[in-house]
Amino acid sequence: MSIEYPKLAAMNCHHRFYTLESFFASARNNGYDSVELWTGPQHFFMDYAQNDPVDCLRELEDRYGVKVIGICPEQTNPKPNNMAAAFPETQRRAFSYFSRAVDIACELGANQVVVTSGWAFLNEDADAAYERSVAMLRRLASYAGERDMNLAIEALQPSESVLANSAADLRRLLDDVAEPALKICLDTGAMARAGDTIEGYFDLFGSDVVHAHFVDVQMDEMDTHVAWGDGTRDMVADLRAFMEGGYRGILSVETVSGCYHADPAAADRRSMDAYRRALESL
């Protein structure tokens, strides 16, 4: 009986100085058969009122034999699309933005839309911002659930938000939102920063872990989203932990460090090479 291992997907975050088509070509050439689309406007423009044609993504899927398995909308400060927005007009725009991402994911037959708690201003009441986040996530998860689409929420690092930084914070948020379409994205970078573990995530969430941002981490410098082999994590151990947790999703390699901007394909190739070596050890 053959063992089914979690597969890797490429992400386009560090391809921002190259065209979207070159990203799809790079993914195919480096052995990825799926990608998660970060909605950087230089690749795929989307705001609360409009978006680039989804047909252009379908054409790239067909041309390169690479499937878009998820949408990762821009949503951390200084982006305007804040899940914890404070004012009626910014809340209206935020809901329109994220619901648009859900619609695009549905059109593409993707698996999930990645979301976060959003963020609070440091000189405002964090509890009030948290309650706004819960209300918006509940409304958005209801919208997604009606369309049979999952939202996958990931923790943010303390420099990004004070609202949900750890697995325990996400557990509280899921319980407070109480919508079945809200699931978990396990980001190994944010996880390491919070001192959490893959095993701990599965203990807390079980099968609600439906997606992952699977990255190496350079702990000495706390650079949390580097290509595999450029950090200190043990990929074999991490893959084994996902498998023992019963994970059935895809592992997206969310490489974001600016050091990869000049040659993003090389970073993706190193991560894929590390993955293939790891499979030989499992």
Side-chain angles (χ1 to χ4, degrees), residues 219-241:
M219 292 299 292
D220 291 342
E221 301 173 8
M222 199 46 74
D223 194 348
T224 57
H225 288 73
V226 299
W228 280 97
D230 291 350
T232 57
R233 294 196 66 82
D234 181 341
M235 184 188 275
V236 172
D238 283 356
L239 286 171
R240 187 172 288 121

Side-chain angles (χ1 to χ4, degrees), residues 84 119-133 161-164 172:
W119 48 272
F121 288 106
L122 297 181
N123 61 337
E124 71 169 317
D125 180 1
D127 289 340
Y130 175 85
E131 292 304 323
R132 296 195 302 265
S133 176
S161 175
V162 298
L163 299 184
R172 175 192 176 208

Side-chain angles (χ1 to χ4, degrees), residues 34-279:
S34 62
V35 297
E36 181 177 350
L37 182 72
W38 163 70
T39 60
Q42 63 274 67
H43 281 170
F44 185 82
F45 181 83
M46 179 184 77
D47 66 11
Y48 68 94
Q50 60 190 323
N51 56 267
D52 284 338
V54 176
D55 282 347
C56 75
L57 299 176
R58 292 198 190 95
E59 290 169 5
L60 290 170
E61 286 181 324
D62 292 342
R63 188 176 307 153
Y64 292 100
V66 173
K67 182 76 183 79
V68 177
I69 54 85
I71 302 295
C72 186
E74 292 193 301
Q75 55 195 292
T76 53
N77 193 340
K79 310 304 179 186
N81 314 296
N82 182 9
M83 201 69 71
F87 303 107
E89 185 58 25
T90 53
Q91 290 171 351
R92 183 190 70 78
R93 290 196 296 263
F95 180 79
S96 294
Y97 175 78
F98 288 110
S99 60
R100 181 176 295 274
V102 169
D103 293 343
I104 291 167
C106 290
E107 285 190 62
L108 289 169
N111 300 332
Q112 74 283 316
V113 174
V114 169
V115 295
T116 72
S117 63
W119 48 272
F121 288 106
L122 297 181
N123 61 337
E124 71 169 317
D125 180 1
D127 289 340
Y130 175 85
E131 292 304 323
R132 296 195 302 265
S133 176
V134 168
M136 182 64 75
L137 284 165
R138 184 180 294 134
R139 183 182 174 200
L140 188 66
S142 175
Y143 181 89
E146 290 170 358
R147 287 150 184 80
D148 200 27
M149 179 57 59
N150 282 329
L151 305 181
I153 189 166
E154 65 178 344
L156 293 175
Q157 297 178 62
S159 60
E160 298 171 309
S161 175
V162 298
L163 299 184
N165 305 131
S166 67
D169 292 340
L170 292 180
R171 181 70 268 171
R172 175 192 176 208
L173 200 52
L174 252 66
D175 291 343
D176 288 344
V177 172
E179 281 286 345
L182 184 60
K183 307 294 188 182
I184 291 293
C185 172
L186 196 173
D187 183 295
T188 56
M191 177 200 78
R193 183 65 178 270
D196 288 322
T197 64
I198 295 170
E199 294 86 351
Y201 262 80
F202 283 103
D203 287 344
L204 279 176
F205 301 110
S207 61
D208 279 343
V209 180
V210 298
H211 187 52
H213 286 164
F214 187 62
V215 290
D216 208 346
V217 178
Q218 179 49 258
M219 292 299 292
D220 291 342
E221 301 173 8
M222 199 46 74
D223 194 348
T224 57
H225 288 73
V226 299
W228 280 97
D230 291 350
T232 57
R233 294 196 66 82
D234 181 341
M235 184 188 275
V236 172
D238 283 356
L239 286 171
R240 187 172 288 121
F242 272 98
M243 293 170 65
E244 289 174 353
Y247 185 66
R248 296 292 181 267
I250 290 174
L251 305 170
S252 289
V253 184
E254 187 190 26
T255 309
V256 298
S257 176
C259 70
Y260 304 117
H261 287 171
D263 193 357
D268 294 338
R269 184 162 54 253
R270 289 203 298 281
S271 291
M272 179 57 78
D273 288 346
Y275 172 75
R276 287 169 173 158
R277 289 193 299 271
L279 292 188

